[in-house]
Amino acid sequence: MKQIKRVLIVGGGTAGWMAAALLGKLFEGLYEIVLIESEAIGTVGVGEATIPAIKKYNELLGLDENEFVRKTQGSFKLGIDFVDWWRKGERYIHGFGVIGQDLGWLRMHHYWLKARPRGDVADFAAYSINTAAALANKFMRADPKMAESPIGHIAHAFQFDAGLYAKFLRGYAEERGIRRREGKVGSVQLREDGFVDSVTMEDGETIAADLFVDCSGFRGLIIEQAMQTGYETWTQWLPCDRAMAVPCARTEPFTPYTRSTARTAGWQWRIPLQHRTGNGHVYSSAYISDEDAEAMLLANLDGEQLAEPNRLRFVTGKRRQTWNKNCVAIGLASGFLEPLESTSIHLIQSAIIRMVRLLPDTAFDPATIAEYNRQTDFEYERIRDFIILHYKATERDDTEFWRYCRDMEVPATLQRKIDLFAANGRVFREDDELFTEESWIQVFLGQGIVPRGYDPLADIKSDAQVAQYLGNIETVIRKCVGVMPTHAEFIAKTCAA
Ligand SMILES: Cc1cc2nc3c(=O)[nH]c(=O)nc-3n(C[C@H](O)[C@H](O)[C@H](O)COP(=O)(O)OP(=O)(O)OC[C@H]3O[C@@H](n4cnc5c(N)ncnc54)[C@H](O)[C@@H]3O)c2cc1C
């Protein structure tokens, strides 16, 4: 067994620096780690909203959360507000964390479904501490000492400035011995067996390594341009292929959530940060022109436009193998799923952790590589299904784009989930898939998939008992939200930039 000694990360976007920071923390002194990035090429410069799992990455680095939020002009995120997705004029929040409280064997929504026809239930939003707090623009962190109260179960993520985040991680990584090499990679040399031998910089220096981490963005400099690994496209289910991002001045109220508003051929995001609001329009070029997409985005900013739009093109899908021989592709080099549920940074984080868990020696055992690819494919495909659900479960028929989405066939793995929920409100989280039952339930109900029935076990409780149980949850949540500070107050007190 011969251990790897040198790791070369190509790319200094969010993916490259997240990889460098964690590898630096874990292997300081053990490996020589070099990161190449090119200021002339730059980064995509977007990627501002996250999901709660990022707290795990921050913990692994040992970050102080307040410092992290301060340095990235960050804000807190309790969920995503989906506007006009099911029908125009309808909205719902996909809140993180738990919904209500289980009773007996069952999740709360079965009792809600049972009581709903009688009309004595509140809107589903009233039973989630995250959603109720979001709607009131309130925020506080979960208090672990209050496990019996909804306050003990608030689940949060962050919204931050992607440029500041990469800068923050770069400082962290460099303090842990990562060597940064500025410049453009001009060519990649492969060995006869197809393994990567080295890269040569445009200035002539050749840099060899044992393990190559390709974080070079959409181009996939090593994994695709040199190794020709292949790419699986999913555009038949997710037809958006372009985006435009533009910042605007921050406006009130300072919401603790991301907003996603469905437009005529895609959707627009709104991400409130401390110093500005991030906005973007993700759209399908087959159904709307760039000019119309830009006009739509700019007409729907809620503050003064602060810069010219950043225009991006992408192909939704994934590399056929994200780990090929001695190259692991992470970030946009590995594939792309639109940011509807803010999952890209999570995919970066989980790829890095998976790579560490399956760290190879110089033999690059094929079983290890196969296991990495199996886990990655599963994670990607299940997130893909969850995103497709938002498009498929719509009653919108006002444009050709929405009619296509409504009528398209979806992957069998998703159709199975839709059918199961539509019958009796059941959903099961499979293996380590990212989204929880609560996430699926909220999107199903929010997008008009109301089950025909509920779990028969809910009938063990009488109507009166169910009404009391639901009423208690709603009352407790309302009281908890009442004592929480506003999002703006919380930030001013703990982590103002
Ligand atoms: C429109 C849009 C919105 C998004 N929103 C979100 C979001 O809200 N939440 C989320 O989690 N994710 C989001 N993402 C995804 C997120 O932006 C990316 O996952 C993240 O920025 C990682 O990018 P990256 O580091 O892989 O690539 P990049 O940022 O493109 O970095 C590539 C790096 O490689 C370097 N490089 C390339 N070629 C060479 C070369 N020849 N020589 C030397 N260096 C080279 C570049 O200089 C750069 O440093 C969004 C993506 C898009 C397109």
Side-chain angles (χ1 to χ4, degrees), residues 10 54 261 283 292 396 418 432-433 439:
V10 176
I54 195 172
T261 306
Y283 59 96
D292 288 350
R396 283 189 63 156
I418 294 175
D432 276 340
E433 73 177 303
S439 289

Side-chain angles (χ1 to χ4, degrees), residues 10-17 36-51 162 183-186 201 215-219 221 242-245 269 271 281-282 312-314 330-333 336-339 341-346 348:
V10 176
T14 305
W17 284 116
I36 299 173
E37 70 174 318
S38 159
E39 272 171 24
I41 294 176
T43 65
V44 296
V46 282
E48 303 189 321
T50 61
I51 57 172
K184 266 192 207 172
V185 172
M201 306 297 291
C215 299
S216 63
F218 286 128
R219 71 198 73 210
L221 191 74
R242 291 191 191 174
M244 241 171 243
W269 80 73
I271 302 176
H281 188 182
V282 176
L312 300 148
R313 293 175 177 213
F314 54 82
I330 295 181
L332 301 174
F336 185 70
L337 284 168
E338 61 184 75
E341 285 283 355
S342 319
T343 43
S344 291
I345 292 174
H346 173 76
I348 294 172

